[in-house]
Amino acid sequence: MASGMHVVATAGHVDHGKSTLVRALTGMEPDRLAEERRRGLTIELGYAWTTLPAGERVAFVDVPGHERFLGTMLAGVGPVPAVLFVVAADEGWMPQSQEHLVALRTLGVRHGLLAVTRADLADPAPALEDARDRLVEAGLAEVEAMAVSGRTGQGLDGLRGALDRLVATLPAPDPQAPVRLWIDRAFSVRGSGTVVTGTLPAGRVETGDELELDGEPVRVRALESLKERVESVTGVARVALNLRGRITPQRGHALVTPGAWTATSLADVRVTMAEGARGPLPARLTAHIGSAAVPCEVRPLGAEAEGAAAEGAAAEGAEAEGAAARLRLARPLPLHLGDALLLRDPGRGQGELRVLARATVLDVRPPELRRRGAARERAKALADASADAASLLRTHLLLRDGELLAMGCPPEGRPVAAGWHADPGHWSELSARLPEVVRRYAADHPLELGMPVEAARHELGLPDRRLVTALVRPPLAVADGRITTAGRVVTGTAGLPAPVARAVRALLDDLAEAPFQAPDAGRLAALGLGPRELAAAVRAGVLLRVAEGVVLAPGADAGAAALLARLPQPFTVSQARSALGTSRRVAVPLLEHLDRKGLTERVDEVHRRCRPTG
């Protein structure tokens, strides 16, 4: 297993010696392209590594410094926890120095070193003092600073020692964290197939693992770290993965642990303007995270967009520090709450700051904004939002374990039912509503013995029947898929409306005289027992339905079987009809009912016999 590795990215103005310094520290050539070596200009991301004096290995991601390649620089810096900031002694602080610093600050990079290069060509002190002051202002107060020369080797030993001290202070990543490996290079190798490289910030990847790429499964066929074949690697690390899968990867895609991230093209965020940036934010920007650069539309949520005037008001909302906004991304990205996206305007002119803002993700499954005033209400809700499960549940009310984990928020507390977590206020409200919902259903359906659980689920707008049963508290109870009020479980005709109960008692009196002479349609109509009333009585257990329109007293089927058992076996329908003292209209369905219950069985097309009882 690869371990003891750290990854550091370079940053700084073009032609300030970043690649030269990496070359001098590692003995490796970070510029991969022939054009780069010919022009002496870094165009693509470069990679090199070395072992530090204390024995730790450090890999460098060398980024281009030219303003035209800011997107490439961000792809290299995005997944990396620390930076080697380079300023040339003979030129000092330059425009791209400032833009790179703004980008690092916006991305939240707080660990690094300052190297003032070309110390053999000019006094490094002024540039070192100026650059250090700027880094301290940007929140990099603990950054060590030193003068070096990649050409002569001056100060390199001191820089190696400073790198040792830097990596010792970096926070240890969680090896159990879900994997999100942003791809910064993808290519094919003859005989091996697709290979991708990237910086693994946390988690573990092993040969044979199944990961997801844009929702498609891919398998890790082989794994390398710093050109060494390994079976397993944990972050932070530079890795190369040989993949098997149907999808073609490219820079900006991410390999992720299945089910551990939410792929979304819509996210609600908190916008923090970059230092020196002035609003309002343009409606269309490029969002950067990891190695991804995705066009997006920015919708401020603090004001409703109503015509041109309201558009201006909405734009001003995005200018406010910590304003809420909604990002609509050109393609889905795997995100968690708390992720930081950098918002850049690639269309700005030379000399203008293109890094405009940081967007901190507050919701990866934001609700639709359909009605007037919804955006303003959403902005108010997001004002107090934080990257935790409680905040998510205030918006979504009910979420499953897996949904919370995929949104980056491990569940807090025990689920209310079957892996479902609920906002406490919403759950209390549902608990208070259920008795009234059941009471109203009983009033509207007096012939039914309780409210079907599915009907209650629909009425309460719940996604799972198990949530309904979890809400049931005395005096309510669940029986046979229905929610009943305690005491409404039927004994005799209790629980039936009074007119129906009287009609059933009259019918039972008739059947007491002739147990198998089921009342005909005329008698049922005279008693006021229509299909709904009969169904209620059958549910209550006070009548036995043997066929449509044929009802008897409860237990009549067992009584009939006892009488038929006295006949010579087997017997015919006619013999059964005579023994039971009833008509063929009743005898045929009653015998079929007895067959279904296993009390009788057919011998042939004409005869039946009673089955012996246990």
Side-chain angles (χ1 to χ4, degrees), residues 302-380:
E304 294 291 350
E306 297 177 28
E311 284 179 10
E316 287 181 14
E319 190 176 352
E321 194 74 6
R326 178 161 292 184
L327 300 186
R328 187 174 296 276
L329 302 160
R331 65 176 175 88
L333 294 175
L335 297 178
H336 274 173
L337 264 67
D339 277 340
L341 294 91
L342 182 147
L343 300 182
R344 178 176 71 102
D345 186 355
R348 296 219 167 185
Q350 187 173 1
E352 291 186 286
L353 186 65
R354 288 166 295 169
V355 175
L356 299 183
R358 171 191 176 100
T360 303
V361 177
L362 299 177
D363 198 339
V364 291
R365 283 175 40 188
E368 293 185 10
L369 305 175
R370 290 180 173 175
R371 56 185 178 78
R372 185 179 181 85
R376 189 177 294 109
E377 290 179 11
R378 181 63 174 151
K380 290 179 181 177

Side-chain angles (χ1 to χ4, degrees), residues 593-610:
H593 172 81
L594 295 176
D595 289 344
R596 290 192 297 272
K597 291 197 67 173
L599 297 173
T600 59
E601 61 184 1
R602 283 185 174 275
V603 175
D604 52 36
E605 291 298 316
V606 177
H607 297 88
R608 280 182 172 82
R609 66 185 173 194
C610 289

